[in-house]
Amino acid sequence: MAFILSSAFRKQALLIPFINAVRGMSSSGGPTPPFTTLSVSRPAETVTHVEICRPEKRNAMNKAFWLEMVDCFSQIAEDSECRVVVFSGAGKLFTSGIDLMGMASDILQPEGDDTARISWNVRRIIAKYQETFSVIEKCPKPVIVAVHGACIGGGVDLITACDIRLCTQDAWFQVKEVDIGLAADVGTLQRLPRVIGSRSLVNELAFTARKMYADEAKSCGLVSRVFPDKETMMAGALEMAGEIASKSPVAVQGTKNTWNMSMLQTQDLMKSAQAAMEKKSLKNITFSKL
């Protein structure tokens, strides 16, 4: 028992510098201009912290959020100083999901003179929303998401696009869309099966909209670590981010993007580019069998 206690105390002591860094982060300072829904800071030289910052609205995702996420992560992708991203939510919970009141016009009253045009515009809107979280997946820098309290609806879409997921003991997750007459097609239905490896469990969560609590989230692989509280979790996230940032950025980003990078190492690319420059049809180019 003495060994267990001393080990726990040593671990807590190691987190103290990161806990102090967490206390210095602007969780109540409001959004960072020009953003109105996000706070962006640099808690360490090569670590960027992005925070959903609408605590008075339970971090609901309004119209501005969907656009600002794309701008924010597009900038992070090009920022050579940033090697790791930590993502979290301000206030008492991670996010309550889509701001239905703020987005009612897009969802409930799409433009269009007939059924076909309305459907086309709905498709365009959904594609735009999907891109909001796809930019996280496409970002070459690893993204660690830290969830506390509720993570509802669009929040699950968001975290499944991240590379590493952490949560607090009081966290819970809910694929809520079916309760409001929607399908979770902004990423959850596409990514969650890959994350937890069970289509049956995904269907259960999506069809019933039941809550999944931290222990089940850990056991099924949705999160990799569970922390006792938000402060300790954020300290752990920063410690992990610092460890990742200390590695070769070429190696780390290459590990995240192995498939894309390997795809570039092919004669097909040169053949296609040459054909385009010579204005030849690809039908006349011979590609090797796959």
mmCIF file with all atom_site columns, all heavy atoms in Angstrom, residues 196-212:
data_model
loop_
_atom_site.group_PDB
_atom_site.id
_atom_site.type_symbol
_atom_site.label_atom_id
_atom_site.label_alt_id
_atom_site.label_comp_id
_atom_site.label_asym_id
_atom_site.label_entity_id
_atom_site.label_seq_id
_atom_site.pdbx_PDB_ins_code
_atom_site.Cartn_x
_atom_site.Cartn_y
_atom_site.Cartn_z
_atom_site.occupancy
_atom_site.B_iso_or_equiv
_atom_site.pdbx_formal_charge
_atom_site.auth_seq_id
_atom_site.auth_comp_id
_atom_site.auth_asym_id
_atom_site.auth_atom_id
_atom_site.pdbx_PDB_model_num
ATOM 1   N N   . ILE A 1 196 ? -14.018 2.619  -32.196 1.00 0.00 ? 196 ILE A N   1
ATOM 2   C CA  . ILE A 1 196 ? -14.298 1.620  -31.155 1.00 0.00 ? 196 ILE A CA  1
ATOM 3   C C   . ILE A 1 196 ? -14.360 0.199  -31.683 1.00 0.00 ? 196 ILE A C   1
ATOM 4   O O   . ILE A 1 196 ? -14.388 -0.754 -30.897 1.00 0.00 ? 196 ILE A O   1
ATOM 5   C CB  . ILE A 1 196 ? -15.598 1.957  -30.386 1.00 0.00 ? 196 ILE A CB  1
ATOM 6   C CG1 . ILE A 1 196 ? -16.830 1.871  -31.295 1.00 0.00 ? 196 ILE A CG1 1
ATOM 7   C CG2 . ILE A 1 196 ? -15.515 3.329  -29.760 1.00 0.00 ? 196 ILE A CG2 1
ATOM 8   C CD1 . ILE A 1 196 ? -18.141 2.107  -30.567 1.00 0.00 ? 196 ILE A CD1 1
ATOM 9   N N   . GLY A 1 197 ? -14.381 0.042  -33.000 1.00 0.00 ? 197 GLY A N   1
ATOM 10  C CA  . GLY A 1 197 ? -14.292 -1.293 -33.584 1.00 0.00 ? 197 GLY A CA  1
ATOM 11  C C   . GLY A 1 197 ? -15.517 -2.163 -33.439 1.00 0.00 ? 197 GLY A C   1
ATOM 12  O O   . GLY A 1 197 ? -15.427 -3.383 -33.594 1.00 0.00 ? 197 GLY A O   1
ATOM 13  N N   . SER A 1 198 ? -16.673 -1.564 -33.164 1.00 0.00 ? 198 SER A N   1
ATOM 14  C CA  . SER A 1 198 ? -17.887 -2.364 -33.006 1.00 0.00 ? 198 SER A CA  1
ATOM 15  C C   . SER A 1 198 ? -19.066 -1.656 -33.661 1.00 0.00 ? 198 SER A C   1
ATOM 16  O O   . SER A 1 198 ? -19.592 -0.680 -33.108 1.00 0.00 ? 198 SER A O   1
ATOM 17  C CB  . SER A 1 198 ? -18.202 -2.606 -31.526 1.00 0.00 ? 198 SER A CB  1
ATOM 18  O OG  . SER A 1 198 ? -19.486 -3.198 -31.361 1.00 0.00 ? 198 SER A OG  1
ATOM 19  N N   . ARG A 1 199 ? -19.481 -2.143 -34.812 1.00 0.00 ? 199 ARG A N   1
ATOM 20  C CA  . ARG A 1 199 ? -20.648 -1.566 -35.481 1.00 0.00 ? 199 ARG A CA  1
ATOM 21  C C   . ARG A 1 199 ? -21.898 -1.768 -34.646 1.00 0.00 ? 199 ARG A C   1
ATOM 22  O O   . ARG A 1 199 ? -22.790 -0.913 -34.619 1.00 0.00 ? 199 ARG A O   1
ATOM 23  C CB  . ARG A 1 199 ? -20.801 -2.208 -36.861 1.00 0.00 ? 199 ARG A CB  1
ATOM 24  C CG  . ARG A 1 199 ? -22.092 -1.872 -37.586 1.00 0.00 ? 199 ARG A CG  1
ATOM 25  C CD  . ARG A 1 199 ? -22.271 -0.384 -37.842 1.00 0.00 ? 199 ARG A CD  1
ATOM 26  N NE  . ARG A 1 199 ? -21.358 0.131  -38.836 1.00 0.00 ? 199 ARG A NE  1
ATOM 27  C CZ  . ARG A 1 199 ? -21.388 1.386  -39.271 1.00 0.00 ? 199 ARG A CZ  1
ATOM 28  N NH1 . ARG A 1 199 ? -22.274 2.244  -38.771 1.00 0.00 ? 199 ARG A NH1 1
ATOM 29  N NH2 . ARG A 1 199 ? -20.508 1.800  -40.164 1.00 0.00 ? 199 ARG A NH2 1
ATOM 30  N N   . SER A 1 200 ? -21.982 -2.884 -33.920 1.00 0.00 ? 200 SER A N   1
ATOM 31  C CA  . SER A 1 200 ? -23.142 -3.148 -33.082 1.00 0.00 ? 200 SER A CA  1
ATOM 32  C C   . SER A 1 200 ? -23.294 -2.092 -32.000 1.00 0.00 ? 200 SER A C   1
ATOM 33  O O   . SER A 1 200 ? -24.393 -1.569 -31.770 1.00 0.00 ? 200 SER A O   1
ATOM 34  C CB  . SER A 1 200 ? -23.024 -4.537 -32.442 1.00 0.00 ? 200 SER A CB  1
ATOM 35  O OG  . SER A 1 200 ? -24.116 -4.778 -31.570 1.00 0.00 ? 200 SER A OG  1
ATOM 36  N N   . LEU A 1 201 ? -22.188 -1.755 -31.332 1.00 0.00 ? 201 LEU A N   1
ATOM 37  C CA  . LEU A 1 201 ? -22.248 -0.743 -30.278 1.00 0.00 ? 201 LEU A CA  1
ATOM 38  C C   . LEU A 1 201 ? -22.569 0.633  -30.853 1.00 0.00 ? 201 LEU A C   1
ATOM 39  O O   . LEU A 1 201 ? -23.345 1.392  -30.267 1.00 0.00 ? 201 LEU A O   1
ATOM 40  C CB  . LEU A 1 201 ? -20.927 -0.702 -29.506 1.00 0.00 ? 201 LEU A CB  1
ATOM 41  C CG  . LEU A 1 201 ? -20.833 0.315  -28.367 1.00 0.00 ? 201 LEU A CG  1
ATOM 42  C CD1 . LEU A 1 201 ? -21.976 0.121  -27.366 1.00 0.00 ? 201 LEU A CD1 1
ATOM 43  C CD2 . LEU A 1 201 ? -19.480 0.212  -27.658 1.00 0.00 ? 201 LEU A CD2 1
ATOM 44  N N   . VAL A 1 202 ? -21.997 0.939  -32.003 1.00 0.00 ? 202 VAL A N   1
ATOM 45  C CA  . VAL A 1 202 ? -22.297 2.219  -32.657 1.00 0.00 ? 202 VAL A CA  1
ATOM 46  C C   . VAL A 1 202 ? -23.786 2.308  -32.974 1.00 0.00 ? 202 VAL A C   1
ATOM 47  O O   . VAL A 1 202 ? -24.432 3.334  -32.721 1.00 0.00 ? 202 VAL A O   1
ATOM 48  C CB  . VAL A 1 202 ? -21.468 2.389  -33.954 1.00 0.00 ? 202 VAL A CB  1
ATOM 49  C CG1 . VAL A 1 202 ? -21.946 3.616  -34.743 1.00 0.00 ? 202 VAL A CG1 1
ATOM 50  C CG2 . VAL A 1 202 ? -19.991 2.525  -33.627 1.00 0.00 ? 202 VAL A CG2 1
ATOM 51  N N   . ASN A 1 203 ? -24.336 1.239  -33.523 1.00 0.00 ? 203 ASN A N   1
ATOM 52  C CA  . ASN A 1 203 ? -25.768 1.237  -33.836 1.00 0.00 ? 203 ASN A CA  1
ATOM 53  C C   . ASN A 1 203 ? -26.615 1.413  -32.581 1.00 0.00 ? 203 ASN A C   1
ATOM 54  O O   . ASN A 1 203 ? -27.611 2.148  -32.576 1.00 0.00 ? 203 ASN A O   1
ATOM 55  C CB  . ASN A 1 203 ? -26.145 -0.067 -34.540 1.00 0.00 ? 203 ASN A CB  1
ATOM 56  C CG  . ASN A 1 203 ? -25.635 -0.126 -35.965 1.00 0.00 ? 203 ASN A CG  1
ATOM 57  O OD1 . ASN A 1 203 ? -25.278 0.905  -36.550 1.00 0.00 ? 203 ASN A OD1 1
ATOM 58  N ND2 . ASN A 1 203 ? -25.585 -1.317 -36.527 1.00 0.00 ? 203 ASN A ND2 1
ATOM 59  N N   . GLU A 1 204 ? -26.214 0.727  -31.515 1.00 0.00 ? 204 GLU A N   1
ATOM 60  C CA  . GLU A 1 204 ? -26.946 0.851  -30.251 1.00 0.00 ? 204 GLU A CA  1
ATOM 61  C C   . GLU A 1 204 ? -26.951 2.299  -29.770 1.00 0.00 ? 204 GLU A C   1
ATOM 62  O O   . GLU A 1 204 ? -28.002 2.842  -29.395 1.00 0.00 ? 204 GLU A O   1
ATOM 63  C CB  . GLU A 1 204 ? -26.301 -0.041 -29.189 1.00 0.00 ? 204 GLU A CB  1
ATOM 64  C CG  . GLU A 1 204 ? -26.965 0.062  -27.819 1.00 0.00 ? 204 GLU A CG  1
ATOM 65  C CD  . GLU A 1 204 ? -26.183 -0.654 -26.731 1.00 0.00 ? 204 GLU A CD  1
ATOM 66  O OE1 . GLU A 1 204 ? -25.398 -1.557 -27.058 1.00 0.00 ? 204 GLU A OE1 1
ATOM 67  O OE2 . GLU A 1 204 ? -26.354 -0.289 -25.558 1.00 0.00 ? 204 GLU A OE2 1
ATOM 68  N N   . LEU A 1 205 ? -25.790 2.930  -29.790 1.00 0.00 ? 205 LEU A N   1
ATOM 69  C CA  . LEU A 1 205 ? -25.685 4.317  -29.324 1.00 0.00 ? 205 LEU A CA  1
ATOM 70  C C   . LEU A 1 205 ? -26.466 5.270  -30.221 1.00 0.00 ? 205 LEU A C   1
ATOM 71  O O   . LEU A 1 205 ? -27.134 6.193  -29.745 1.00 0.00 ? 205 LEU A O   1
ATOM 72  C CB  . LEU A 1 205 ? -24.210 4.737  -29.279 1.00 0.00 ? 205 LEU A CB  1
ATOM 73  C CG  . LEU A 1 205 ? -23.321 4.001  -28.277 1.00 0.00 ? 205 LEU A CG  1
ATOM 74  C CD1 . LEU A 1 205 ? -21.855 4.344  -28.511 1.00 0.00 ? 205 LEU A CD1 1
ATOM 75  C CD2 . LEU A 1 205 ? -23.731 4.339  -26.839 1.00 0.00 ? 205 LEU A CD2 1
ATOM 76  N N   . ALA A 1 206 ? -26.386 5.040  -31.540 1.00 0.00 ? 206 ALA A N   1
ATOM 77  C CA  . ALA A 1 206 ? -27.047 5.934  -32.487 1.00 0.00 ? 206 ALA A CA  1
ATOM 78  C C   . ALA A 1 206 ? -28.558 5.751  -32.514 1.00 0.00 ? 206 ALA A C   1
ATOM 79  O O   . ALA A 1 206 ? -29.310 6.723  -32.661 1.00 0.00 ? 206 ALA A O   1
ATOM 80  C CB  . ALA A 1 206 ? -26.472 5.713  -33.890 1.00 0.00 ? 206 ALA A CB  1
ATOM 81  N N   . PHE A 1 207 ? -29.025 4.504  -32.357 1.00 0.00 ? 207 PHE A N   1
ATOM 82  C CA  . PHE A 1 207 ? -30.463 4.231  -32.403 1.00 0.00 ? 207 PHE A CA  1
ATOM 83  C C   . PHE A 1 207 ? -31.176 4.617  -31.106 1.00 0.00 ? 207 PHE A C   1
ATOM 84  O O   . PHE A 1 207 ? -32.334 5.014  -31.125 1.00 0.00 ? 207 PHE A O   1
ATOM 85  C CB  . PHE A 1 207 ? -30.721 2.746  -32.684 1.00 0.00 ? 207 PHE A CB  1
ATOM 86  C CG  . PHE A 1 207 ? -30.253 2.279  -34.039 1.00 0.00 ? 207 PHE A CG  1
ATOM 87  C CD1 . PHE A 1 207 ? -30.072 0.918  -34.283 1.00 0.00 ? 207 PHE A CD1 1
ATOM 88  C CD2 . PHE A 1 207 ? -29.994 3.170  -35.065 1.00 0.00 ? 207 PHE A CD2 1
ATOM 89  C CE1 . PHE A 1 207 ? -29.641 0.461  -35.517 1.00 0.00 ? 207 PHE A CE1 1
ATOM 90  C CE2 . PHE A 1 207 ? -29.560 2.730  -36.307 1.00 0.00 ? 207 PHE A CE2 1
ATOM 91  C CZ  . PHE A 1 207 ? -29.375 1.379  -36.532 1.00 0.00 ? 207 PHE A CZ  1
ATOM 92  N N   . THR A 1 208 ? -30.504 4.451  -29.971 1.00 0.00 ? 208 THR A N   1
ATOM 93  C CA  . THR A 1 208 ? -31.150 4.687  -28.681 1.00 0.00 ? 208 THR A CA  1
ATOM 94  C C   . THR A 1 208 ? -30.846 6.053  -28.087 1.00 0.00 ? 208 THR A C   1
ATOM 95  O O   . THR A 1 208 ? -31.586 6.529  -27.233 1.00 0.00 ? 208 THR A O   1
ATOM 96  C CB  . THR A 1 208 ? -30.695 3.633  -27.649 1.00 0.00 ? 208 THR A CB  1
ATOM 97  O OG1 . THR A 1 208 ? -29.296 3.817  -27.365 1.00 0.00 ? 208 THR A OG1 1
ATOM 98  C CG2 . THR A 1 208 ? -30.944 2.223  -28.163 1.00 0.00 ? 208 THR A CG2 1
ATOM 99  N N   . ALA A 1 209 ? -29.751 6.679  -28.529 1.00 0.00 ? 209 ALA A N   1
ATOM 100 C CA  . ALA A 1 209 ? -29.301 7.966  -27.971 1.00 0.00 ? 209 ALA A CA  1
ATOM 101 C C   . ALA A 1 209 ? -29.006 7.868  -26.475 1.00 0.00 ? 209 ALA A C   1
ATOM 102 O O   . ALA A 1 209 ? -29.091 8.841  -25.746 1.00 0.00 ? 209 ALA A O   1
ATOM 103 C CB  . ALA A 1 209 ? -30.323 9.069  -28.234 1.00 0.00 ? 209 ALA A CB  1
ATOM 104 N N   . ARG A 1 210 ? -28.650 6.670  -26.006 1.00 0.00 ? 210 ARG A N   1
ATOM 105 C CA  . ARG A 1 210 ? -28.334 6.532  -24.580 1.00 0.00 ? 210 ARG A CA  1
ATOM 106 C C   . ARG A 1 210 ? -26.976 7.144  -24.268 1.00 0.00 ? 210 ARG A C   1
ATOM 107 O O   . ARG A 1 210 ? -26.138 7.336  -25.161 1.00 0.00 ? 210 ARG A O   1
ATOM 108 C CB  . ARG A 1 210 ? -28.358 5.066  -24.172 1.00 0.00 ? 210 ARG A CB  1
ATOM 109 C CG  . ARG A 1 210 ? -27.160 4.233  -24.631 1.00 0.00 ? 210 ARG A CG  1
ATOM 110 C CD  . ARG A 1 210 ? -27.115 2.910  -23.881 1.00 0.00 ? 210 ARG A CD  1
ATOM 111 N NE  . ARG A 1 210 ? -26.059 2.006  -24.339 1.00 0.00 ? 210 ARG A NE  1
ATOM 112 C CZ  . ARG A 1 210 ? -24.806 2.052  -23.909 1.00 0.00 ? 210 ARG A CZ  1
ATOM 113 N NH1 . ARG A 1 210 ? -24.434 3.003  -23.053 1.00 0.00 ? 210 ARG A NH1 1
ATOM 114 N NH2 . ARG A 1 210 ? -23.911 1.183  -24.345 1.00 0.00 ? 210 ARG A NH2 1
ATOM 115 N N   . LYS A 1 211 ? -26.752 7.428  -23.009 1.00 0.00 ? 211 LYS A N   1
ATOM 116 C CA  . LYS A 1 211 ? -25.488 8.010  -22.569 1.00 0.00 ? 211 LYS A CA  1
ATOM 117 C C   . LYS A 1 211 ? -24.436 6.912  -22.352 1.00 0.00 ? 211 LYS A C   1
ATOM 118 O O   . LYS A 1 211 ? -24.749 5.841  -21.843 1.00 0.00 ? 211 LYS A O   1
ATOM 119 C CB  . LYS A 1 211 ? -25.679 8.788  -21.264 1.00 0.00 ? 211 LYS A CB  1
ATOM 120 C CG  . LYS A 1 211 ? -26.597 9.994  -21.393 1.00 0.00 ? 211 LYS A CG  1
ATOM 121 C CD  . LYS A 1 211 ? -26.785 10.677 -20.040 1.00 0.00 ? 211 LYS A CD  1
ATOM 122 C CE  . LYS A 1 211 ? -27.725 11.866 -20.150 1.00 0.00 ? 211 LYS A CE  1
ATOM 123 N NZ  . LYS A 1 211 ? -27.948 12.525 -18.839 1.00 0.00 ? 211 LYS A NZ  1
ATOM 124 N N   . MET A 1 212 ? -23.227 7.217  -22.752 1.00 0.00 ? 212 MET A N   1
ATOM 125 C CA  . MET A 1 212 ? -22.095 6.347  -22.451 1.00 0.00 ? 212 MET A CA  1
ATOM 126 C C   . MET A 1 212 ? -21.203 7.092  -21.458 1.00 0.00 ? 212 MET A C   1
ATOM 127 O O   . MET A 1 212 ? -20.769 8.214  -21.727 1.00 0.00 ? 212 MET A O   1
ATOM 128 C CB  . MET A 1 212 ? -21.293 6.017  -23.714 1.00 0.00 ? 212 MET A CB  1
ATOM 129 C CG  . MET A 1 212 ? -19.981 5.277  -23.421 1.00 0.00 ? 212 MET A CG  1
ATOM 130 S SD  . MET A 1 212 ? -18.945 5.042  -24.888 1.00 0.00 ? 212 MET A SD  1
ATOM 131 C CE  . MET A 1 212 ? -19.773 3.635  -25.632 1.00 0.00 ? 212 MET A CE  1
#
